[in-house]
């Protein structure tokens, strides 16, 4: 319960490690929950409010921070691929990045117009 209190109101994956009948809880956030947390929205009751649209704006640096946290779970070969994965999640959530649509930024990454760090 202590480990998940920071993620109140956001659906997040939890890894249970059981050793000698004692369960240890580790929070394993996915890209979507990290994006929603980065939007700093007010707490909501998941039972009452459904199908919420997260219409916020994230900075380029916030996206890169999320990518660095997601890097070990990502299936992409390069960091650029992880950035595109996170942008896809941001598109699904419904937020913008630097005032632009995430799909436009994915295209810009493919055309080498949007600079991504190597790590």
């Amino acid at each position: 319960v202590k480990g998940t209190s920071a993620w109140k109101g956001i659906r997040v994956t939890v890894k249970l490690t059981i050793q000698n009948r004692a369960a240890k809880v580790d929070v394993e956030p996915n890209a979507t929950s990290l994006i929603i947390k980065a939007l700093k929205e007010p707490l909501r009751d998941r039972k009452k409010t459904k199908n919420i649209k997260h219409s916020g704006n994230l900075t380029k640096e916030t996206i890169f921070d999320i990518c660095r946290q997601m890097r070990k779970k990502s299936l992409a070969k390069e960091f650029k691929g992880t950035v595109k994965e996170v942008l896809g999640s941001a598109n699904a959530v419904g937020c913008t990045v630097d005032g632009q649509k995430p799909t436009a930024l994915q295209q810009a990454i493919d055309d080498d117009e949007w600079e991504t760090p190597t790590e």
Side-chain angles (χ1 to χ4, degrees), residues 5 36 65 68 80 88 99 112:
S5 57
I36 293 172
D65 287 338
R68 286 182 192 102
K80 183 163 64 168
D112 290 331

Side-chain angles (χ1 to χ4, degrees), residues 19-92:
Q19 210 169 20
N20 301 338
R21 291 196 182 132
K24 188 170 157 266
V25 179
D26 295 318
V27 178
E28 299 251 324
N30 55 3
T32 312
S33 49
L34 284 168
I35 288 168
I36 293 172
K37 191 172 182 182
L39 286 170
K40 292 185 179 70
E41 293 182 342
L43 288 175
R44 69 182 183 96
D45 190 0
R46 283 213 319 259
K47 286 193 171 73
K48 290 178 187 146
T49 44
K50 300 279 189 219
N51 302 342
I52 191 167
K53 276 275 173 270
H54 305 278
S55 56
N57 188 26
L58 294 173
T59 61
K60 193 176 183 178
E61 288 308 311
T62 329
I63 291 289
F64 292 150
D65 287 338
I66 292 171
C67 293
R68 286 182 192 102
Q69 288 173 349
M70 289 297 298
R71 189 68 186 113
K72 60 185 183 300
K73 285 171 73 175
S74 169
L75 298 171
K77 285 181 185 171
E78 299 171 23
F79 187 73
K80 183 163 64 168
T82 311
V83 174
K84 284 178 68 177
E85 283 181 9
V86 172
L87 283 173
S89 297
N91 188 42

